[in-house]
Structures are given as C-alpha cells and as structure tokens.
C-alpha cells in the first residue's frame, strides 16, 4: 500500500518505510490512514512491519494464559507479529472437554485480540490424533466409540468449530500429522474408522462448506526433509488436488534441531507449491542441547548459538525465496513458554525460540530482523564513487 501512495519509483522500500514511520503524514492520499495508525502502533523495525514489505505474515503461537495477564508478553505479541496461532485453545480437548458442551472462551479472546491488533489467525487444528478429549479417546489410537459414531462426531466437530469462527480464520490446519515418521499412514482412530485415508478428503470438504473463505491446510512435521514422509504427504496432496478436494495449502511445522543437518526446506516448499498450493512454515523452533552430557552443542559453547542463528535464518530465507510461502510462524517467542523443554528432555533440549526466558530478544531475533530488512532490498550506496551520486 505504501509504495503506490508515495510513488517515488525505485527508491528502496527501506527508505519508504523509514520515511513513513518517521514522518507519519508524508502521504496525503485517502485510504492511507489505516497504514499510518498501524505504523504508529508497532515499530517500523518489528518483524511484522518488515514482513509486510514483502507480503509475508510473521506469526507466533500464542499461550492464551499469558495473553492479557503478562504485560510484556502481550505487548510483544501485538507489536512483533501479524498473525497468531492458538498454541492449544482450538484443539478438541480444550473446546469440547465434556461431550456436547463447547468452551470457546479462550479462543474467542485470541480472535478478538487479533482483530484489535490487525492480525490474521491460523486456526489449529481440526483433525488430529493428539490432545483429544478423554471421552473420545485417551491416546488417539484407541476408542470405545463405534466407527459410525466417530464419523458423525468428526463431521459435527468440524462443522461446529469452523462455523463458530467463520470469517475470522485466515488459514485452518484442517488435518494435522496424518503420517508416521516413516511415511506410513498413522493408524489413528480416524484412519481406522474410515478404513483408510478417506477421512482427510471428507474433513476438507466439510471445512470448505462451513467457511468457504478460509484457506484450508494440511500440516505436519519433518516435511522439511526430503524422504519417505515428505514424499507420502506430497503424494497425498497431489491426489487430493486431482480429486478436486478443497485443499489450499500445506503447513511445514519446522521443529528444527541443531543436532541434525539443516533440511532441504526450500526445495520441499517449492515442490509442494508447484502442485498449485500455498505453503507456510507454521511452528518453527530451533532446539539445542541445554544440559549435560556436555558436548559441542551445549549453549556454553558459542557454536550452538551460531547453529541456531543459522537455522533460523535459513528457515526464514527458504520461505522468502518461495513466492507461495505466505506465512512464517515461530511456535511462540519466549523460551520460558516453549513446549520444547517439557517434550524433549532426554537429553534435555531447549533455547528454541527468538526471545529468552526474560522476554529479551536473542541474537536469533536480530538475524531474522536483518534478513527481513534485506529481503525488501538493501539500500543503494550513494555518494562519490558509489553506484549513485
Ligand atoms: C504442542 C503445544 O505447544 C504444547 O503446549 C502442548 O502441550 C502439546 O502440543 N505439533 C503441533 C502442535 O501441531 O499443536 C504441538 O503443540 C507441537 C507439535
């Protein structure tokens, strides 16, 4: 929006944005006001402002227990990010803890926060084997309910939830993690009830009916790496497209770890995009060992930090390099709130996010800020002997 309004041709976007933020009312065109009030609301060097310049939404998972009660957490959520994902509160376990009784309160609060702060919402997630209410299944793989009951329940769940948030969700993670690490279909209660992967096509069709405007995503981890799992999901979504199932995108979770090599992320994003899909990095974090046994990756060794900076930077740049990659979402932003230490604890891992335990930005944050600034174009040299006088 800024460029046409100011219409000063080839001057880099860095200059334009800086000018906007400093001068505020530099442009006098009707319709410019919202951009100005937004610029006043969050810093010109925030991740969200820098992402705006290349049309990339920078998101975060949000812990709704902190939102509103923790001032720093709340301010950073609003200032730095242009998209939010509920880390937990749209999961089935939380929206329908008792069969037949919905509790939308926490998720509604996040949606209202997002509207107020001009953020889009990634809805997460409708069909999953994890974090199901116990009345449905205690482990996602077994249940006492019949196949017919399960089919009716999943349909109602998708219809009710998507309708409840209709018009408020940018991207829905309709199906999450349907494949095992080796690329075999995960033998969940849904897979067993349908006797195959047919539940996925049904889920997308029900979601489309309930909110025709939301972008519908398949979301999974380790798609970043070329291999059996990424190939299996690729084959699935290609066949869904061929059957005209309404799928719009694929989410690459991006839970990275410095103990493994950096994945072939850009090529994988691109080959999914080439199927005619949007892609997104939906849950990025970069974990590393944080405790004994000490090794070359412990944070006491600066190399661990360098590896993390590099992984963050390459993950972002993979998205920037693929036109169809529409959002880049870290899975939270303060190491205290990260799911990693609780989940990967033998050996202990952590330090996976952009902000430390005191909500101070880490070097990883500054690397992304710089990458985003450069993505819109480095400022041209000027002065005697330089490219332009
Ligand atoms: C995680 C949350 O971060 C934790 O708070 C919760 O206890 C477990 O789930 N893949 C996903 C996310 O799709 O929903 C998971 O989130 C992390 C892995």
């Amino acid at each position: 929006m800024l460029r046409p309004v100011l219409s000063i041709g080839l001057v880099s976007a860095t200059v334009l944005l800086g000018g906007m933020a400093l001068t505020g009312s530099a442009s006098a065109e009707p319709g410019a006001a919202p951009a100005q009030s937004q610029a006043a609301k969050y810093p010109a060097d925030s991740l969200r402002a820098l992402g705006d310049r290349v049309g990339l939404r920078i998101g975060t998972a949000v812990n709704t227990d902190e939102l509103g009660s923790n001032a720093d957490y709340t301010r950073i959520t609003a200032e730095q990010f242009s998209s939010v994902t509920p880390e937990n509160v749209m999961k089935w376990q939380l929206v329908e803890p008792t069969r037949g009784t919905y509790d939308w309160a926490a998720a509604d609060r996040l949606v209202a926060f997002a509207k107020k702060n001009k953020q889009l919402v990634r809805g997460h997630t409708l069909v999953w084997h994890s974090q199901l209410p116990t009345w449905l299944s205690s482990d996602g793989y077994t249940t006492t309910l019949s196949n017919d009951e399960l089919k009716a329940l999943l349909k109602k769940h998708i219809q009710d939830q998507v309708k409840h948030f209709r018009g408020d969700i940018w991207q829905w993670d309709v199906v999450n993690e349907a494949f095992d690490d080796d690329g075999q279909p995960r033998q969940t209660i849904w897979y067993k009830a349908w006797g195959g992967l047919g539940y996925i096509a049904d889920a997308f069709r029900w979601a489309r009916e309930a909110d025709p405007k939301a972008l519908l995503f398949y979301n999974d981890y380790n798609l970043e790496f070329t291999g059996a799992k990424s190939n299996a999901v690729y084959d699935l979504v290609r066949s869904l497209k061929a059957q005209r199932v309404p799928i719009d995108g694929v989410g690459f979770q991006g839970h990275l770890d410095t103990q493994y090599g950096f994945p072939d992320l850009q090529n994988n994003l691109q080959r999914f995009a080439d199927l005619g899909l949007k892609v997104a990095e939906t849950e990025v974090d970069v974990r590393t060992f944080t405790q004994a046994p000490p090794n070359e990756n412990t944070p006491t060794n600066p190399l661990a930090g360098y590896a993390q900076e590099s992984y963050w930077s390459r993950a972002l740049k993979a998205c920037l390099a693929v036109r169809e990659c529409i959002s880049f979402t870290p899975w939270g932003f303060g190491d205290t709130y990260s799911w990693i230490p609780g989940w990967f604890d033998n050996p202990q891992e952590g330090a996976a996010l952009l902000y430390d335990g005191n909500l101070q930005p880490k070097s990883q944050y500054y690397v992304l800020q710089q990458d985003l600034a450069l993505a819109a174009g480095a400022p041209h040299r000027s002065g005697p002997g330089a490219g332009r006088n």
Side-chain angles (χ1 to χ4, degrees):
M1 187 194 291
L2 300 179
R3 268 164 280 186
V5 169
L6 291 175
S7 70
I8 42 179
L10 293 172
V11 177
S12 82
T14 312
V15 174
L16 292 188
L17 190 90
M20 268 319 268
L22 289 173
T23 59
S25 57
S27 88
E29 181 151 308
Q36 284 166 25
S37 65
Q38 272 184 44
K41 231 173 161 188
Y42 53 84
D45 65 353
S46 61
L47 301 181
R48 66 179 294 178
L50 295 167
D52 278 352
R53 295 155 54 196
V54 288
L56 177 65
R57 293 269 166 177
I58 308 295
T60 183
V62 176
N63 178 334
T64 50
D65 292 339
E66 300 301 318
L67 197 72
S69 63
N70 177 331
D72 284 341
Y73 186 96
T74 308
R75 176 182 52 76
I76 294 168
T77 305
E79 281 185 358
Q80 295 291 329
F81 303 100
S82 50
S83 161
V84 290
T85 308
E87 182 170 0
N88 286 302
V89 297
M90 284 189 193
K91 293 171 180 173
W92 199 332
Q93 187 178 59
L94 285 99
V95 299
E96 197 184 2
T98 306
R99 187 170 177 173
T101 308
Y102 290 122
D103 180 0
W104 308 115
D108 284 348
R109 217 158 49 78
L110 179 61
V111 169
F113 180 90
K115 276 187 193 159
K116 186 169 146 234
N117 292 289
K118 301 192 164 37
Q119 296 163 316
L120 298 182
V121 181
R122 293 198 85 259
H124 176 81
T125 175
L126 298 168
V127 186
W128 197 20
H129 62 280
S130 196
Q131 289 181 276
L132 292 170
T134 47
W135 59 262
L136 179 54
S137 170
S138 57
D139 60 3
Y141 297 93
T142 56
T143 178
T144 54
L145 303 173
S146 72
N147 291 344
D148 285 346
E149 254 182 313
L150 286 174
K151 289 183 178 180
L153 280 167
L154 188 65
K155 181 175 186 184
K156 179 170 162 48
H157 169 66
I158 292 174
Q159 289 179 330
D160 288 354
Q161 182 153 354
V162 176
K163 271 186 203 143
H164 178 83
F165 295 108
R166 186 186 177 116
D168 290 333
I169 303 294
W170 179 37
Q171 305 174 15
W172 262 118
D173 286 335
V174 177
V175 177
N176 200 33
E177 302 181 352
F179 287 85
D180 278 337
D181 295 353
D182 58 5
Q184 294 306 308
R186 208 183 271 280
Q187 305 288 308
T188 66
I189 55 171
W190 311 120
Y191 185 86
K192 291 180 199 160
W194 264 257
L197 287 170
Y199 72 94
I200 296 180
D202 284 345
F204 277 93
R205 291 191 177 109
W206 292 329
R208 179 68 101 225
E209 278 167 25
D211 185 351
K213 292 207 173 129
L215 294 173
L216 306 182
F217 273 65
Y218 176 86
N219 190 55
D220 214 328
Y221 62 88
N222 282 354
L223 306 182
E224 303 86 25
F225 294 87
T226 303
K229 180 169 183 178
S230 186
N231 289 343
V233 173
Y234 181 85
D235 290 344
L236 167 79
V237 298
R238 188 174 53 182
S239 106
L240 292 175
K241 289 284 287 180
Q243 296 165 64
R244 305 206 175 281
V245 173
I247 177 171
D248 302 300
V250 173
F252 289 58
Q253 292 185 4
H255 295 293
L256 305 175
D257 186 330
T258 62
Q259 73 178 297
Y260 308 117
F262 188 81
D264 195 16
L265 179 51
Q266 185 181 328
N267 284 332
N268 274 295
L269 289 169
Q270 190 64 62
R271 72 171 174 146
F272 280 81
D274 289 344
L275 292 173
L277 293 163
K278 301 289 184 197
V279 290
E281 294 184 38
T282 55
E283 306 183 12
V284 183
D285 45 28
V286 181
R287 61 189 185 270
T288 199
F289 296 120
T290 53
Q291 267 186 17
N295 59 35
E296 70 279 7
N297 283 317
T298 57
T300 50
N301 179 338
L303 287 177
Y306 291 146
Q308 288 176 303
E309 287 175 21
S310 161
Y311 279 38
W312 274 105
S313 179
R314 293 163 78 184
L316 173 64
K317 285 187 279 198
C319 180
L320 284 167
V322 174
R323 187 184 288 274
E324 297 81 4
C325 186
I326 57 174
S327 58
F328 178 87
T329 303
W331 202 238
F333 58 83
D335 284 337
T336 312
Y337 311 106
S338 168
W339 73 303
I340 295 292
W343 206 268
F344 299 90
D345 57 359
N346 186 23
Q348 186 65 58
E349 296 189 75
L353 296 174
L354 299 176
Y355 288 68
D356 68 17
N358 297 318
L359 292 181
Q360 296 302 309
K362 301 194 297 191
S363 57
Q364 290 88 322
Y365 170 90
Y366 295 107
V367 167
L368 293 200
Q369 190 185 44
Q370 193 174 45
D371 287 338
L372 286 168
L374 291 172
H380 201 284
R381 303 318 96 182
S382 62
R388 186 193 301 141
N389 289 325

